[in-house]
Amino acid sequence: MPELPEVETVKRELEQVLIGRRIKAIDVQRLDPIKPLTAELFCEQLEGQTFRQILRRGKYLLFGLNPPLWMIGHLRMTGKFVISSQKTTLGKHARVIFRLDQGEQLSFEDVRCFGTLKLVESLTGPPLMSQLGLEPLSAEFTASSLKPLLKTSKRPIKNFLLDQTQIAGLGNIYVSEILFRIGVSPLRPAQKLKSKEIAALIAATRLVLESAIANNGTSISDFRRVDDKTGEFQNFLKVYGKENSPCENCQSPILRIVQQQRSTFYCTHCQI
DNA sequence: AGCGGAACCTGTCGGC
DNA sequence: TGCCGACAGGTTCCGC
């Protein structure tokens, strides 16, 4: 489900309520998110801990607890964090529930059970953070850092942009949107992008991601914010999910194709 | 290197 | 109403 803007939206909302809160107890309803840890070991390490800070890297949420402990969350397709009062009865998709010290609860909910919660004592060590690529909203995301990566890759640019070890945080929706905005076909080999197009790619990536964050992300099927409100960026999508709709530039129908077993939407006339 | 396919799991939607 | 296949914002592993 969520890509960088949705994860960033969740991060900002969680830090409003979570910083300084202590974990009093944990209910593990399903083991999938915490595997391979047992419920006993997971709870034992976290109970009594206080949330100190929340960071985001790519699509990962990093919960800083009492140093050096971190809980690294990944929402995958349908994961979400929900804050509510402990008086609230949670739905059947609540997988791990953290009871906090002021009557609130943090619930990790996940229909498909792909999401993960992992405990680590360092953010630099394997297997997670060390293999993530450029952070697209950081100062390091420039033509000079991206160009050498593109030039060595023959893959279609869509596949390249989805590769988290190259750029961390883009997913299926935003890649289609970004490529439409720069007029580049998702099928074009990465190394065939011209310097001008690389510059445009960087600018469009920043613009689309920042705009999506400003609109609290995209809610197409089940992304919801921490307070269960929807994001609004779905109102600004130009190609994603718009098969057969007229392109807003040239009116020709938006095409849906499959790359890496995933839908790609684009305009064959405007994107070359 | 990079592709296709399957797997992880559950739910929804459209067609017949 | 019911069944069946396709599809879903992600990642990883395996074989070619």
Side-chain angles (χ1 to χ4, degrees):
Chain A
M1 106 198 240
E3 308 176 34
L4 189 155
E6 291 72 43
V7 179
E8 180 66 22
T9 298
V10 170
K11 180 230 162 188
R12 292 180 185 185
E13 297 185 327
L14 285 178
E15 64 188 355
Q16 299 301 310
V17 286
L18 229 45
I19 303 305
R21 296 280 60 74
R22 200 173 66 88
I23 300 169
K24 291 179 70 176
I26 302 176
D27 287 345
V28 177
Q29 303 286 339
R30 273 196 50 160
L31 289 172
D32 305 69
I34 67 170
K35 276 194 267 193
L37 235 48
T38 64
E40 290 71 25
L41 282 171
F42 185 80
C43 297
E44 185 184 315
Q45 287 202 65
L46 285 175
E47 282 169 0
Q49 294 273 329
T50 299
F51 289 102
R52 308 288 183 185
Q53 59 178 324
I54 306 179
L55 307 175
R56 179 193 56 75
R57 172 81 171 97
K59 299 173 193 171
Y60 289 92
L61 280 168
L62 318 175
F63 297 85
L65 298 150
N66 298 356
L69 187 63
W70 293 84
M71 179 173 76
I72 301 180
H74 198 299
L75 304 174
R76 295 287 181 102
M77 298 289 266
T78 51
K80 51 186 162 183
F81 285 102
V82 179
I83 304 255
S84 60
S85 158
Q86 283 174 33
K87 293 176 185 141
T88 305
T89 304
L90 294 170
K92 65 173 181 172
H93 299 123
R95 308 305 189 192
V96 180
I97 304 131
F98 304 79
R99 318 276 182 203
L100 307 177
D101 59 351
Q102 291 188 342
E104 306 285 293
Q105 59 193 355
L106 170 67
S107 170
F108 180 66
E109 322 208 336
D110 191 359
V111 170
R112 294 176 71 180
C113 288
F114 291 170
T116 55
L117 299 174
K118 184 182 172 64
L119 302 180
V120 298
E121 299 203 335
S122 162
L123 294 182
T124 55
L128 287 182
M129 303 294 108
S130 52
Q131 55 201 32
L132 284 183
L134 299 170
E135 188 64 41
L137 293 181
S138 75
E140 68 177 4
F141 188 61
T142 61
S144 58
S145 59
L146 185 58
K147 196 169 181 176
L149 304 178
L150 288 167
K151 287 302 167 193
T152 54
S153 174
K154 300 187 196 322
R155 316 156 76 179
I157 185 66
K158 158 91 188 291
N159 299 8
F160 177 91
L161 294 174
L162 280 180
D163 184 345
Q164 302 298 300
T165 69
Q166 307 289 335
I167 301 174
L170 300 182
N172 213 33
I173 293 180
Y174 294 107
V175 166
S176 276
E177 292 298 312
I178 289 163
L179 289 174
F180 175 77
R181 282 160 173 80
I182 65 172
V184 169
S185 163
L187 299 166
R188 181 113 64 93
Q191 61 186 190
K192 298 281 190 189
L193 266 73
K194 311 236 186 312
S195 291
K196 247 187 161 174
E197 291 171 328
I198 296 175
L201 172 63
I202 290 181
T205 299
R206 288 224 182 86
L207 190 68
V208 167
L209 294 181
E210 280 170 1
S211 169
I213 291 169
N215 285 281
N216 300 304
T218 300
S219 294
I220 285 189
S221 56
D222 40 22
F223 173 68
R224 292 297 182 275
R225 293 154 64 187
V226 170
D227 54 9
D228 210 39
K229 292 195 191 101
T230 59
E232 297 88 41
F233 195 72
Q234 62 277 14
N235 301 320
F236 301 93
L237 299 176
K238 295 180 187 294
V239 286
Y240 185 84
K242 300 198 183 290
E243 183 177 18
N244 293 328
S245 296
C247 165
E248 68 168 41
N249 295 334
C250 73
Q251 319 309 319
S252 54
I254 300 297
L255 189 65
R256 172 183 174 274
I257 61 171
V258 174
Q259 292 176 283
Q260 287 193 155
Q261 306 178 88
R262 316 196 60 198
S263 293
T264 300
F265 298 89
Y266 76 116
C267 173
T268 53
H269 182 256
C270 297
Q271 294 176 254
I272 55 175

